[in-house]
Amino acid sequence: MDTTQHKARHRRRRLGLSVGIPLATATAVGLSYGGVFGVFGENARPEAGAATADTTWAREVADGFASVNALGQNGTYGGRDGAIVTVKNLADLEKYATDSKPYVIVVAGTITMSPKGNEIKVASNKTIVGAGTSGQIVGGGFFLGQGVHNVIIRNLTIRDSYAGTWNDKDHDWDAIQMDGAHHVWIDHNNLRNMADGLIDSRKDTTYLTVSWNQLKNDNKAFGIGWTDHVTADITIHHNWFHETEQRNPSTDNVAHAHLYNNFLQDDPDSSITSSYGNYARGGTKMVLENSYFEGMNNPVIKDGTAALVQRGNVFVDTTGRNESGGTAFDPTMYYRYTPDAAADVPSKVKSGAGPRAAIGRATAPASAAATTLTVAKDGSGTYKTVQAAVDAVPVGNPSRVVISVKPGTYRELVNVPANKPHVTIQGSGASRKDTVIVYGNAAGTRKPDGSGTYGTPGSATVAVRSDDSQLRNLSVSNDFDEAANQSLEGHQAVALLTAADKIVLDGVIVTGDQDTLEMETAASDKPGRVYVTNSYVVGNVDFIFGRATAVIDQSVITLKKRWNGTSAGYITAPSTPAGRKGILINRSTVNGDVAAASFQLGRNWHPGGDKTVDPQATVRNSTLSAAIKSTPWSDMGGFSWKDDRFAEYMNTGPGAGPKSTDRPHLTDSQAASQEVSDWLGDWTP
């Protein structure tokens, strides 16, 4: 594995794009298509909406100790009472964060700190939140000084102030540092690769809740203390401490430290080795419950003067000290909470921690409120098939139409044509497995009218050809039986085809064998951006492919054996036009019940021998199973992959490997221009 975290970081500065626009106003202007409801008939249901954009997330409040009324502050709600503003450059972020008035500050892009290591001095009554997954702070962070209170830092990626020294004593460059602050909520952030600590809670900082964060690739994760007073009250829950050496956290002189449902993970044979996990020091009273420790050295330790009560924790492949003792406190005397079972913590935290696409975005105002059409096989909806609902959408519809599909298996072909934009097909069940759209055509399957075969794109179970369309909370499958059709020429069998711009796949399962997920553009000269998040893609040969600019983010890619039980295949097959971005796999997991060293990350597709295309695939910050070969890229059609654009960056797991001529890794400066925001440009899904 290429251990780049020990090298100096140099990131390019991004230019700001727009500033200071109240988000509610900007969204109302940008999304107001005008209302044409009623065209669907009396059974269509417009969804309720406010007169301005819905920003429910801006009114959300902290749980845990940050919710407690104390020190003249009634819980933690940040800048809820102030204006919502959107920033895209450093000057405007500093302007609003340091202002005395309350603000909800939406970071809608990557902001690079200058000078490196700069920590913005945040004033009281602020919410600083990333817009979906696009909000990033590079090369610095935030500082909350004495008396600063009622601050929310949420849904951001804060990264890369690392200055070249692992145990850095010269650069106190943290992601978030608090000295004497109170009522602070740090939630759903990705914090990694900083010069000193990721979070420092110092000098009697209290009424702090740290929840659902990813703390990764750092020497010092989370230090608490720097005081002789035993007054602080802190809740730490549902965080993922991954490849962090120490302070996970180190908790010194904390009156009430409640840690539950955290996942502490140290990968074997990596360059980072944990020295300890949770540490209770000094006069700390700690309750540690229902957390999961995997591969950690000295997972739980305490000083002789500290009290530490353990209950319900799980320890897997841990070594060294695992201690408890003394009497602590009852967290329910301060606030309500319901811990998850410890066995469920790895899956819940890995899928739920870090920035979320739904936070920091405004939904459409009432003038563009969605019209909902209901599909149910049993006749309880307006339509019995998904395609019937699509057919009911008028040509050129100006605003969002939600096709709500009740649980069931719908064996049908679905085509959303290009002249029907703003369509969302959404399962209404509790799980994405409850609503399944499935069919079994292959490229070589003959059409019923005798006009030939379907071809690869035509084999798709679901085809989305309209801009600004979405699939949510459902499964799309192609169940073509290769074993039973060996005489058929053309086994490519697409489950889902996209051929449009601004497509969102959120909370879906896309499953097949060969060519599962095809992402194209409407024409070779048109853009086609696709954002896939919180989803599963299953297949075996070239099963994520096409010429679209596509991001697979915080998802699971599952490798599947071929029809004859063998393990072999390729994940990606990009056919990217020159000068465009290809396929980006980011913060995802590759797994599957297949043989070790049997799959490659991808190969370069030049359709029809086209020499003008420049295929691109980047796999970064992801976990790769042992199924990935040590030479993860392959030639295709007589073209060398080395002449195209294939690379990795900061991957982990048994399938990751060191940089070589057969395994290129991005440099830090190259990686800075291969973030999600680079792929999506001016679009925030």
Side-chain angles (χ1 to χ4, degrees):
M1 177 181 176
D2 184 29
T3 55
T4 54
Q5 67 270 18
H6 290 198
K7 298 178 182 178
R9 305 298 193 198
H10 300 285
R11 299 285 179 174
R12 67 179 176 89
R13 180 166 180 145
R14 307 278 182 91
L15 297 177
L17 301 178
S18 66
V19 302
I21 304 170
L23 183 60
T25 302
T27 307
V29 172
L31 297 180
S32 181
Y33 308 118
V36 190
F37 310 119
V39 294
F40 300 98
E42 62 183 2
N43 292 322
R45 176 173 58 84
E47 292 189 355
T52 58
D54 180 9
T55 54
T56 303
W57 47 266
R59 300 186 294 276
E60 292 177 342
V61 299
D63 60 359
F65 273 116
S67 70
V68 174
N69 299 341
L71 301 178
Q73 177 65 36
N74 295 327
T76 302
Y77 50 84
R80 179 185 65 188
D81 296 334
I84 302 176
V85 296
T86 298
V87 301
K88 294 186 178 180
N89 62 43
L90 178 57
D92 289 287
L93 175 58
E94 288 186 307
K95 170 186 173 182
Y96 290 107
T98 59
D99 197 283
S100 60
K101 295 188 292 294
Y103 281 107
V104 175
I105 304 163
V106 180
V107 180
T110 299
I111 295 177
T112 300
M113 290 296 188
S114 180
K116 187 174 184 178
N118 179 33
E119 294 178 5
I120 294 175
K121 293 178 173 58
V122 180
S124 299
N125 305 311
K126 300 292 184 294
T127 296
I128 304 174
V129 58
T133 57
S134 67
Q136 302 205 27
I137 307 298
V138 177
F142 300 101
F143 176 82
L144 282 61
Q146 184 68 41
V148 170
H149 59 277
N150 192 30
V151 173
I152 296 172
I153 299 175
R154 199 172 188 218
N155 214 52
L156 290 164
T157 295
I158 307 176
R159 60 180 175 87
D160 297 328
S161 70
Y162 185 75
T165 301
W166 182 238
N167 192 3
D168 200 330
K169 304 294 187 181
D170 297 322
H171 300 99
D172 186 17
W173 296 345
D174 303 312
I176 303 170
Q177 181 173 317
M178 299 161 285
D179 281 4
H182 67 90
H183 286 90
V184 180
W185 184 26
I186 300 171
D187 178 70
H188 275 105
N189 300 290
N190 180 309
L191 311 174
R192 66 179 190 260
N193 206 44
M194 302 299 284
D196 188 48
L198 299 178
I199 302 174
D200 272 1
S201 177
R202 316 188 325 168
K203 301 180 181 179
D204 305 321
T205 293
T206 188
Y207 299 108
L208 168 67
T209 296
V210 178
S211 57
W212 294 101
N213 300 285
Q214 299 176 354
L215 295 92
K216 293 190 170 186
N217 291 53
D218 211 81
N219 180 25
K220 304 168 185 174
F222 185 179
I224 306 168
W226 291 268
T227 179
D228 294 329
H229 304 140
V230 186
T231 58
D233 292 345
I234 296 174
T235 304
I236 303 166
H237 71 86
H238 290 94
N239 299 284
W240 184 9
F241 295 83
H242 187 202
E243 293 296 275
T244 50
E245 184 171 325
Q246 56 180 313
R247 299 182 184 173
N248 292 300
S250 171
T251 311
D252 185 31
N253 286 335
V254 173
H256 303 103
H258 184 203
L259 284 64
Y260 71 94
N261 286 154
N262 296 297
F263 180 33
L264 283 77
Q265 183 183 28
D266 185 357
D267 295 331
D269 303 321
S270 69
S271 62
I272 300 175
T273 301
S274 58
S275 58
Y276 60 87
N278 296 161
Y279 188 1
R281 302 171 56 187
T284 293
K285 291 185 180 295
M286 179 183 291
V287 174
L288 170 59
E289 57 182 332
N290 289 32
S291 289
Y292 197 104
F293 299 79
E294 181 179 306
M296 298 294 293
N297 295 315
N298 304 308
V300 184
I301 57 179
K302 64 179 285 295
D303 285 352
T305 54
L308 195 161
V309 173
Q310 285 201 51
R311 52 179 178 250
N313 301 304
V314 172
F315 301 89
V316 176
D317 296 329
T318 60
T319 59
R321 297 166 65 181
N322 187 350
E323 301 168 342
S324 60
T327 303
F329 63 98
D330 180 2
T332 62
M333 296 296 292
Y334 301 90
Y335 52 82
R336 295 180 180 178
Y337 73 102
T338 303
D340 293 312
D344 296 335
V345 164
S347 60
K348 283 181 177 287
V349 169
K350 289 174 74 173
S351 63
R356 313 307 296 162
I359 299 174
R361 301 184 306 163
T363 58
S367 59
T371 294
T372 298
L373 309 178
T374 303
V375 177
K377 288 185 64 177
D378 61 7
S380 61
T382 309
Y383 306 96
K384 288 187 176 181
T385 68
V386 179
Q387 188 60 48
V390 172
D391 292 342
V393 177
V395 170
N397 55 295
S399 58
R400 177 70 51 196
V401 178
V402 175
I403 298 174
S404 179
V405 187
K406 291 188 176 182
T409 298
Y410 297 80
R411 178 162 284 277
E412 59 173 300
L413 298 173
V414 176
N415 177 53
V416 184
N419 58 6
K420 297 184 178 184
H422 322 307
V423 171
T424 295
I425 302 175
Q426 179 170 306
S428 65
S431 165
R432 68 196 94 194
K433 296 180 180 180
D434 292 344
T435 303
V436 180
I437 306 172
V438 59
Y439 213 75
N441 284 336
T445 302
R446 299 200 66 80
K447 296 180 180 179
D449 62 4
S451 61
T453 59
Y454 282 101
T456 298
S459 70
T461 299
V462 174
V464 179
R465 305 177 189 275
S466 65
D467 290 345
D468 189 31
S469 289
Q470 307 168 351
L471 295 184
R472 298 183 183 274
N473 195 42
L474 49 76
S475 297
V476 178
S477 176
N478 190 315
D479 64 354
F480 170 69
D481 188 344
E482 286 190 84
N485 289 277
Q486 282 299 291
S487 61
L488 189 72
E489 183 177 351
H491 284 196
Q492 301 89 342
V494 177
L496 174 60
L497 166 71
T498 69
D501 192 29
K502 298 183 180 179
I503 303 297
V504 173
L505 310 178
D506 185 4
V508 301
I509 300 172
V510 188
T511 182
D513 289 312
Q514 183 173 352
D515 290 14
T516 302
L517 175 59
E518 181 174 4
M519 296 176 287
E520 303 290 356
T521 66
S524 59
D525 61 341
K526 291 187 176 182
R529 289 166 290 181
V530 184
Y531 181 67
V532 185
T533 186
N534 188 33
S535 295
Y536 293 80
V537 185
V538 183
N540 50 38
V541 177
D542 302 335
F543 64 97
I544 300 173
F545 73 109
R547 69 182 176 219
T549 295
V551 175
I552 314 292
D553 191 28
Q554 296 190 100
S555 294
V556 177
I557 297 168
T558 298
L559 309 177
K560 184 179 179 181
K561 291 181 180 178
R562 304 188 71 172
W563 66 272
N564 58 3
T566 60
S567 298
Y570 315 88
I571 295 175
T572 65
S575 56
T576 320
R580 293 192 182 177
K581 299 288 189 182
I583 297 172
L584 173 65
I585 297 174
N586 181 59
R587 299 183 298 174
S588 295
T589 297
V590 175
N591 63 17
D593 183 18
V594 296
S598 59
F599 274 75
Q600 291 179 293
L601 293 176
R603 55 182 179 170
N604 54 336
W605 181 28
H606 289 249
D610 187 350
K611 298 179 181 179
T612 67
V613 301
D614 189 15
Q616 181 183 31
T618 296
V619 182
R620 61 174 297 164
N621 301 106
S622 294
T623 303
L624 309 182
S625 77
I628 300 303
K629 293 183 177 182
S630 59
T631 53
W633 308 105
S634 179
D635 299 339
M636 186 178 186
F639 292 89
S640 170
W641 68 265
K642 293 183 179 180
D643 294 332
D644 294 311
R645 298 174 290 167
F646 293 88
E648 297 176 75
Y649 182 71
M650 297 289 285
N651 293 322
T652 59
K659 177 180 180 180
S660 70
T661 56
D662 291 321
R663 190 160 200 167
H665 286 211
L666 299 175
T667 65
D668 294 331
S669 59
Q670 289 171 332
S673 62
Q674 296 204 29
E675 298 280 356
V676 172
S677 58
D678 296 297
W679 252 248
L680 302 184
D682 61 357
W683 175 46
T684 301

